[in-house]
């Protein structure tokens, strides 16, 4: 709705600009290209007034959009930071191994509305990623998921998604790509890795952080393999939840800073237009005064 | 999916993943609540998205999954 209002204002604004020229020249540009009927003696300020009105409206709209984005950001930021605690124990236990060599890589790209023989398959969440990846790797796309914004983000939705992905796609390693939220103006594209249970076993034998897994005692009636599988699925679901939240944060942050810079831009434009308007107005008043005075002195003299 | 030969827990044998199992348990717990907490919790359970599988670089017809997470 705000975008439609912005578009209207933009059209009105563009209609009153006849040609894009640098500011110092704009005075002559406007006056020379104005449709002034013959015999009219005063310079019309109507055009400038129209431009000022539309720029002011644009500024109001972008300010409102910024406020909306800021409030959404605040709400979602707390959730994202809380959800970080979900997968940190996993990383402490299993380690994060982005450099692992596996045969089947599945890349889950999350985006606002995605060795020897390595296969790479993509699962796309979101329209933006879909447009990008369709250009390069059309053949490698496995699943495409859209329309996620209808409900506010909750864990259940992510869990259902994770379930779908786990059922449909065979994988050795899942790499989730998303924008990690650092601050309102900075987001890092990050990749987190979730390994399938078989690969975890393999890495455990190779030693390192995963090798320490064997020193843990397993309670209950389940074997290590089953536990690893449950853990892997749950880890994937948690990491995806966090990734989706962080991505939403980054999106709102980007939107907020974009709206902020555009309102500031509109403010600058408004200042320049106001100065120009006043100068034109004063020039026309001066011209009239000169005519009146010279006329009067001609009568007397 | 059974790793060590044993059938494993019953839900694994039925074809569910751990994630879907915990989801079902969670929705059962949510339905045990009293009002007004119950409606709040059920709000948190809504699911809606559209998923389409791609074969050979061509998307198939997308299907919409929605409802509550209790599958």
């Amino acid at each position: 709705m705000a975008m439609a209002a912005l578009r209207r204002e933009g059209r009105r604004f563009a209609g009153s600009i006849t040609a894009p020229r640098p500011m110092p020249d704009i005075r002559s540009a406007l006056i020379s290209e104005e449709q002034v009927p013959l015999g009219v003696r005063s310079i019309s300020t109507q055009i400038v007034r129209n431009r000022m009105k539309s720029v002011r409206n644009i500024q109001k709209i972008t300010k409102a959009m910024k406020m909306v984005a800021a409030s959404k950001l605040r709400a979602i930021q707390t959730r994202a930071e809380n959800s970080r605690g979900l997968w940190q124990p996993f990383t402490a236990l299993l380690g994060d191994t982005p450099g692992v060599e596996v045969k089947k890589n599945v890349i889950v790209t999350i985006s606002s509305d995605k060795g020897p023989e390595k296969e790479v398959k993509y699962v796309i969440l979101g329209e933006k990623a879909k447009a990008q990846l369709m250009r390069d790797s059309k053949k490698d796309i496995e699943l495409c998921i859209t329309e996620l914004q209808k409900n506010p983000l909750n864990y259940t939705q992510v869990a259902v998604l994770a379930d779908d992905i786990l059922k449909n796609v065979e994988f050795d390693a899942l790499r989730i790509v998303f924008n990690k939220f650092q601050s309102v103006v900075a987001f890092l594209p990050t990749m987190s890795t979730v390994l399938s249970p078989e690969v975890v076993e393999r890495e455990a034998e190779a030693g390192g952080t995963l090798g320490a897994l064997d020193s843990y005692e397993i309670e209950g009636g389940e074997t290590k393999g089953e536990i690893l599988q449950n853990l892997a699925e749950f880890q994937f679901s948690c990491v995806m939840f966090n990734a989706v939240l962080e991505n939403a944060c980054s999106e709102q942050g980007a939107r907020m800073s974009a709206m902020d810079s555009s309102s500031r831009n509109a403010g600058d434009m408004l200042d320049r237009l106001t100065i120009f308007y006043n100068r034109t107005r004063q020039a026309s008043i001066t011209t009239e005064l000169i005519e009146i005075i010279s006329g009067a002195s001609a009568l007397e003299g | 999916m059974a790793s060590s030969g044993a059938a494993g827990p019953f839900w694994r044998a039925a074809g569910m993943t751990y994630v879907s199992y915990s989801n079902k348990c969670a929705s059962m717990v949510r339905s045990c609540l009293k009002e007004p907490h119950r409606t709040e919790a059920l709000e948190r359970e809504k699911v809606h998205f559209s998923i389409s599988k791609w074969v050979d670089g061509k998307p198939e017809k997308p299907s919409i999954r929605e409802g509550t997470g209790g599958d």
Side-chain angles (χ1 to χ4, degrees):
Chain A
M1 181 190 84
M3 292 309 290
L6 256 182
R7 264 192 289 260
R8 254 195 316 237
E9 287 300 332
R11 250 179 275 137
R12 187 178 349 162
F13 188 45
S16 65
I17 303 177
T18 35
R21 267 180 233 209
M23 254 342 240
D25 284 1
I26 205 169
R27 180 174 183 169
S28 50
L30 262 189
I31 298 177
S32 61
E33 295 170 22
E34 213 173 288
Q35 308 287 326
V36 179
L38 280 175
V40 171
R41 325 251 2 255
S42 63
I43 301 171
S44 163
T45 51
Q46 185 64 30
I47 295 182
V48 186
R49 252 182 292 150
N50 277 345
R51 286 180 74 177
M52 279 170 56
K53 192 161 157 204
S54 63
V55 171
R56 209 173 291 132
N57 284 343
I58 291 182
Q59 191 184 28
K60 279 191 212 156
I61 294 173
T62 48
K63 264 201 194 142
M65 286 174 85
K66 174 186 157 192
M67 292 292 130
V68 166
S71 68
K72 282 196 190 158
L73 174 69
R74 229 173 303 141
I76 218 173
Q77 194 171 345
T78 32
R79 289 184 75 191
E81 291 189 359
N82 289 340
S83 82
R84 278 190 197 155
L86 264 181
W87 55 263
Q88 268 154 4
F90 279 110
T91 322
L93 176 68
L94 295 169
D96 192 27
T97 46
V100 71
E101 290 287 319
V102 288
K103 277 234 194 98
K104 292 206 191 107
N105 278 312
V106 176
I107 300 195
V108 183
T109 21
I110 305 201
S111 61
S112 248
D113 223 167
K114 333 182 195 34
E117 313 99 52
K118 265 205 266 213
E119 305 166 22
V120 175
K121 292 227 158 286
Y122 293 102
V123 175
I124 309 176
L125 273 81
E127 294 277 339
K128 295 275 169 187
K130 181 166 117 180
Q132 279 291 92
L133 281 179
M134 253 173 39
R135 266 190 283 156
D136 291 334
S137 338
K138 231 168 150 179
K139 294 185 265 72
D140 286 328
I141 302 182
E142 182 75 34
L143 283 173
C144 176
I145 305 173
T146 47
E147 285 185 41
L148 284 161
Q149 264 82 23
K150 190 155 170 226
N151 296 323
L153 288 169
N154 50 5
Y155 179 71
T156 318
Q157 172 142 339
V158 175
V160 173
L161 269 176
D163 189 37
D164 267 352
I165 296 180
L166 284 168
K167 282 207 188 117
N168 279 334
V169 183
E170 265 187 54
F171 65 95
D172 281 337
L174 280 165
R175 299 177 199 275
I176 306 183
V177 176
F178 61 100
N179 279 323
K180 191 169 170 133
F181 180 76
Q182 261 191 330
S183 74
V184 177
V185 292
F187 346 102
L188 289 176
T190 15
M191 186 168 80
S192 23
T193 320
V194 175
L195 302 169
S196 81
E198 296 98 18
V199 180
V200 171
E201 290 272 0
R202 212 181 64 195
E203 291 289 316
E205 272 143 43
T209 338
L210 290 173
L213 257 184
D214 279 329
S215 53
Y216 284 92
E217 212 182 275
I218 301 182
E219 254 183 43
E222 299 180 339
T223 65
K224 180 165 165 222
E226 282 167 16
I227 291 195
L228 273 182
Q229 181 150 37
N230 293 345
L231 268 183
E233 294 173 359
F234 191 48
Q235 181 188 14
F236 175 50
S237 173
C238 292
V239 174
M240 236 178 64
F241 182 54
N242 180 56
V244 166
L245 277 180
E246 301 249 358
N247 210 57
C249 267
S250 314
E251 184 198 332
Q252 296 297 340
R255 189 171 293 169
M256 197 177 112
S257 52
M259 288 298 116
D260 183 40
S261 59
S262 93
S263 344
R264 211 168 295 154
N265 224 5
D268 285 344
M269 256 181 130
L270 205 53
D271 286 340
R272 282 202 305 265
L273 280 174
T274 314
I275 290 181
F276 175 56
Y277 173 68
N278 284 332
R279 251 191 250 142
T280 324
R281 188 176 51 92
Q282 287 159 4
S284 76
I285 293 176
T286 313
T287 318
E288 282 202 46
L289 276 176
I290 291 180
E291 290 175 359
I292 293 174
I293 294 177
S294 49
S297 64
L299 278 178
E300 283 171 23
Chain B
M1 277 226 234
S3 30
S4 56
F10 59 94
W11 43 269
R12 185 65 78 180
M16 284 206 275
T17 57
Y18 179 74
V19 171
S20 50
Y21 173 58
S22 78
N23 242 6
K24 267 217 161 57
C25 295
S27 68
M28 261 189 267
V29 171
R30 279 191 199 109
S31 49
C32 294
L33 292 171
K34 276 208 262 190
E35 301 289 343
H37 302 283
R38 183 184 191 151
T39 25
E40 279 177 26
L42 288 180
E43 275 298 315
R44 270 182 276 147
E45 247 198 335
K46 296 225 172 78
V47 166
H48 173 95
F49 59 90
S50 121
I51 182 170
S52 78
K53 204 161 155 51
W54 283 56
V55 178
D56 274 346
K58 274 196 246 325
E60 302 188 341
K61 197 161 180 349
S63 60
I64 304 199
R65 286 207 40 181
E66 56 179 329
T68 63
D71 240 346

